[in-house]
Amino acid sequence: MVSTIGEMFLDAQGWQTILDRRPEIFTDMLQGASLGILPKKELESTGGTMLIWIKQVDKMAVFYRPFTGFQNTSVDLLMIADDVALESLHSKAQENPFYEMREQIRNGNILYYVMKTKNELLDLGYEELIDVLGIPFLGACR
Amino acid sequence: MIAGTGCGIITNQGAYPDPLGEGKSYFRQIALFDDKFLPQFEQIAGYIHDNGAVAIQQILHAGRYGGIDLGYCVQPSVVPQTLPHFRQPREVSKEQIKAMVTQHAEAAKRAIKAGFDGTEITSFMGYLLANFNSKFTNRRTDEYGGSVENRGRFMRELIYAIKEAQGDDHPLIVRLNGAELMDVHGGNTEDECFELMKMAGDAGVDMISVTVGWQEAPESSIGRDVPPGHWNRLAIRAKKLLPNIPITFGVRLPNPVMANQNIADGEFDYWEVCRPMLAEPELLHKAAEDRLDEAKHCLGCMNCLARLFRDLPYLCTNNPALGHEVEPEYLITPAVVKKKIMIIGAGPAGIECAIAATKRGHDVTIYDKSDSIGGSLVGYAAYDIANKADLQSQISYYQTMLNKLGVKVNLNTDVNPKLMRSILHQYDVAVLAVGAGVDTSVIPVPEQEGVLVLAADVARGKVNVGQKVVVLGGGKIGLTLAEGLTQEGKEVTIVEKEKRIAGDVIPTWKWRHSSWVDQLKIKTLTLSKPIKIGVGGVTVVNDKGEETFVEADTVIAASPRKPNQELFQEFEFMVDELHGVGDAMVPRGLLQAIHEGYRLGVRI
């Protein structure tokens, strides 16, 4: 049983449940493709912890790594989530967390950064995930 | 042609100032880091002066959006991209900052040497200067970061260096955000934007152009979905803040009459115009001659910018000749042999062809089976939730031009082989511009009469739509109808056979449609197709074989589209020249209809 935001963030099993519910999103991803989630309050910290989803041979799996700044981050996509977003995602693990993630991105509670170019992300198999999350993929042209 | 638009000041496209190309933001961008480029700049300045305008050269280092030919871009701090089109950032050192300032100053000096009257630097959209100014991308801890004063240091150094390099006789303009629209990312507040504007004024700039938004901003700023005049408040604030500095403005302000009134009201001093003049290079002349009804309008579709995001040259949906001004094949020239032309279809493709051909001296008659001109554009305009007026203005323009050019239009006339036999040999040329329909052969036969209707009939208001609606097809036609009907209070479900909706939508509108579908809570069933249209609803099966019953009073067939090509074979031996244009060839969209219609019209 987890109750605090910190516990939710470190609940690897809970996050794995979210990933296992929608395996088709990650089917086309190459092994090693990775997405990081960082609590917003740890963005400025040099010793924060980042949740990482890394594509394995058979599925997307949950890991934790230290976050020491943008420059040292090796993930392909990075999500910066505030407490509202983290709690909301975790609490909706059994419902539709990816839809919730999309909503939280739209609301600005989750910020995303792309650490690879368009072609690199396509080659790594991110098209489905980016579509599910509603991220403007090829230029926003507002 | 650009020099002859009638503008009082013409700003040439931004030239990147550094030899590495770190400042280069798009394909075919010009450079100004060496005297070897001078001849082309001299030529451009000469064109502008020959037409009596003031020549300004913009110097554009794209910073975060630069390095387009490189594997990286440069920024004040490493803040990763939010759009994957752009390159990953490297932080610049203080030595590099000094070099950048010098490069800008040298480029400015070079522009003046080439004959330009002044220069412009730009801090909007997320380019280098904006990167220094904004809290979002400037996280430095040295004298170039932190406070607004420090973040603005790079701008002040640029202004001082350029002013010194080009001399007091040559004005320097700076483009500055009145709003970044980057709040969620921790960007500058509007107050900070205006603090920076004041700082630029104090540093000695001669004119300020007020702009809005970054490329990455999560909300619209210049598209059709933003009402004209929406951002004027920012120009008004700038004018109040800096009453002694000329303020220029033009963000989502496409109408010259409105802009003229704004200037008269003291909101700003000069109207800036880009996209509206891409769509209609003669806009100012037509405005001055009270002929604005003959002017094409920018439709706010953003296809021009979408092309830049593909590393392709600009084009304009509404102006097929843009970028081809020196190619005779795109110009309206007198026809050597005057012909009698019948155009079948009064949609954009047919009318564009008619206008161009008539201007060349041909005798043109349009036939259409419906009771009004506009083709499928009528439906889009009726249901467009972004801004109906923009699309309706296109139809008004067409009506005006057909009337003024004396093009004969026979509405309510179904052109078929019988009609063609009755008018045999009356025409030298026939153009089939009959658009596309829906292939209903792949849709289940409804068990109840009147339930299944065609999208085109809904769009033109020919049929009544019930409260519960299923739209078959999640492309642009289905989406436009679904959104409009939902706004009217209908309960709409979209059934789409592909994995994603909006497959045929242009890139700049894909995200808008996706957002609207979410906001309006329109239910979408993808990877699904109807297998039965029964009493009270539609049975849908998905790719896993699972069946769902969706209640519906009305089922709208919006897909798959098929070109109306039947007449091609029928007419082959009935007329000398037979051509096809637009969706009648391959169902696509407005851009292709306009461009193909025009291109055929200038070549018959």
Side-chain angles (χ1 to χ4, degrees), chain A residues 18-68:
Chain A
I18 288 174
L19 299 181
D20 292 345
R21 278 175 57 82
R22 296 290 303 275
E24 78 280 4
I25 294 173
F26 310 104
T27 305
D28 293 337
M29 278 190 190
L30 298 184
Q31 195 178 345
S34 61
L35 180 149
I37 298 178
L38 183 72
K40 197 170 185 178
K41 58 193 170 199
E42 299 204 13
L43 183 57
E44 302 303 332
S45 121
T46 51
T49 299
M50 179 166 57
L51 164 69
I52 306 189
W53 303 346
I54 303 177
K55 180 69 193 301
Q56 309 296 298
V57 176
D58 56 339
K59 67 172 189 175
M60 202 67 161
V62 170
F63 299 87
Y64 290 90
R65 297 276 188 275
F67 177 78
T68 56

Side-chain angles (χ1 to χ4, degrees), chain B residues 471 473-474 478-479 482 492-496 501 517 522-526:
Chain B
V471 176
L479 288 166
V492 182
T493 303
I494 295 172
V495 177
E496 168 58 49
I501 59 168
V517 165
I522 298 171
K523 189 176 177 188
T524 56
L525 302 174
T526 53

Side-chain angles (χ1 to χ4, degrees), chain B residues 58 60 65 120 122-130 175-177 211-215:
Chain B
Q58 187 184 79
L60 169 62
Y65 304 148
E120 176 180 276
T122 181
S123 170
F124 80 120
M125 300 293 277
Y127 298 134
L128 181 69
L129 183 48
R175 306 198 77 191
L176 288 166
N177 272 122
T211 67
V212 179
W214 278 36
Q215 298 278 19

Side-chain angles (χ1 to χ4, degrees), chain A:
Chain A
M1 181 69 183
V2 294
S3 53
T4 66
I5 300 291
E7 287 173 343
M8 287 175 190
F9 182 69
L10 294 172
D11 176 22
Q13 197 177 343
W15 290 106
Q16 190 62 55
T17 303
I18 288 174
L19 299 181
D20 292 345
R21 278 175 57 82
R22 296 290 303 275
E24 78 280 4
I25 294 173
F26 310 104
T27 305
D28 293 337
M29 278 190 190
L30 298 184
Q31 195 178 345
S34 61
L35 180 149
I37 298 178
L38 183 72
K40 197 170 185 178
K41 58 193 170 199
E42 299 204 13
L43 183 57
E44 302 303 332
S45 121
T46 51
T49 299
M50 179 166 57
L51 164 69
I52 306 189
W53 303 346
I54 303 177
K55 180 69 193 301
Q56 309 296 298
V57 176
D58 56 339
K59 67 172 189 175
M60 202 67 161
V62 170
F63 299 87
Y64 290 90
R65 297 276 188 275
F67 177 78
T68 56
F70 286 135
Q71 275 172 306
N72 307 315
T73 303
S74 60
V75 293
D76 309 318
L77 282 174
L78 177 62
M79 304 281 172
I80 311 287
D82 66 14
D83 285 354
V84 174
L86 285 172
E87 184 174 8
S88 176
L89 286 180
H90 198 273
S91 66
K92 294 193 175 167
Q94 300 300 327
E95 296 167 35
N96 192 348
F98 287 95
Y99 178 80
E100 183 61 22
M101 206 162 174
R102 181 189 181 108
E103 286 293 294
Q104 297 293 342
I105 289 172
R106 284 235 168 96
N107 295 339
N109 295 327
I110 296 179
L111 305 178
Y112 63 89
Y113 294 99
V114 290
M115 322 300 264
K116 296 279 197 311
T117 63
K118 168 181 69 181
N119 290 342
E120 288 169 332
L121 289 171
L122 283 173
D123 291 346
L124 284 165
Y126 271 94
E127 192 172 1
E128 183 68 19
L129 177 64
I130 284 172
D131 183 67
V132 167
L133 298 181
I135 295 173
F137 191 28
L138 296 173
C141 304
R142 305 300 187 184

Side-chain angles (χ1 to χ4, degrees), chain B residues 279-292:
Chain B
E280 177 55 270
E282 293 185 61
L283 184 65
L284 297 188
H285 297 301
K286 289 180 178 176
E289 294 159 12
D290 199 20
R291 295 192 292 124
L292 273 177

Side-chain angles (χ1 to χ4, degrees), chain B residues 319-578:
Chain B
N319 179 5
L322 184 74
H324 300 282
E325 290 83 356
V326 298
E327 298 173 52
E329 295 86 352
Y330 283 83
L331 303 181
I332 292 179
T333 52
V336 175
V337 179
K338 309 287 192 246
K339 297 176 182 174
K340 288 196 72 172
I341 300 172
M342 72 178 299
I343 294 175
I344 304 150
I351 296 177
E352 290 284 343
C353 183
I355 291 171
T358 304
K359 285 181 175 176
R360 295 180 58 226
H362 293 307
D363 180 0
V364 179
T365 303
I366 296 177
Y367 292 82
D368 197 291
K369 66 181 176 185
S370 73
D371 57 3
S372 63
I373 67 160
S376 57
L377 189 57
V378 173
Y380 282 117
Y383 282 88
D384 180 31
I385 67 169
N387 187 343
K388 293 177 173 57
D390 273 337
L391 296 182
Q392 283 162 349
S393 75
Q394 185 78 359
I395 299 169
S396 302
Y397 161 80
Y398 284 147
Q399 189 62 66
T400 298
M401 295 309 294
L402 293 176
N403 292 343
K404 290 196 174 182
L405 292 169
V407 177
K408 297 175 280 296
V409 182
N410 296 323
L411 298 173
N412 300 305
T413 307
D414 184 23
V415 177
N416 51 40
K418 185 179 174 187
L419 177 83
M420 284 298 278
R421 281 193 294 274
S422 73
I423 57 172
L424 213 56
H425 306 310
Q426 286 188 21
Y427 294 100
D428 305 303
V429 183
V431 176
L432 290 172
V434 285
V438 173
D439 184 2
T440 52
S441 68
V442 298
I443 297 173
V445 177
E447 294 178 353
Q448 189 180 351
E449 201 175 332
V451 172
L452 181 66
V453 296
L454 293 173
D457 290 337
V458 176
R460 280 183 168 265
K462 288 183 179 173
V463 293
N464 291 323
V465 176
Q467 178 59 25
K468 292 181 178 172
V469 184
V470 167
V471 176
L472 303 178
K476 58 189 160 195
I477 293 175
L479 288 166
T480 303
L481 285 176
E483 291 152 5
L485 290 168
T486 304
Q487 273 201 335
E488 290 175 8
K490 313 284 188 196
E491 299 163 46
V492 182
T493 303
I494 295 172
V495 177
E496 168 58 49
K497 69 179 172 58
E498 299 296 336
K499 200 172 182 181
R500 300 182 180 99
I501 59 168
D504 64 350
V505 176
I506 58 175
T508 46
W509 286 80
K510 262 187 205 298
W511 69 270
R512 285 176 166 90
H513 279 299
S514 299
S515 299
W516 288 331
V517 165
D518 283 354
Q519 285 165 17
L520 295 166
K521 301 192 187 309
I522 298 171
K523 189 176 177 188
T524 56
L525 302 174
T526 53
L527 289 171
S528 301
K529 60 182 181 182
I531 53 172
K532 182 181 171 186
I533 301 176
V535 177
V538 182
T539 304
V540 174
V541 63
N542 67 15
D543 60 321
K544 294 174 187 140
E546 298 161 343
E547 292 186 11
T548 308
F549 180 76
V550 186
E551 288 185 33
D553 308 313
T554 304
V555 179
I556 300 173
S559 174
R561 299 172 76 195
K562 74 166 185 184
N564 294 324
Q565 295 180 334
E566 295 78 7
L567 296 179
F568 280 98
Q569 287 182 333
E570 299 269 15
F571 293 174
E572 192 178 350
F573 286 94
M574 290 184 171
V575 67
D576 182 15
E577 288 182 45
L578 179 63

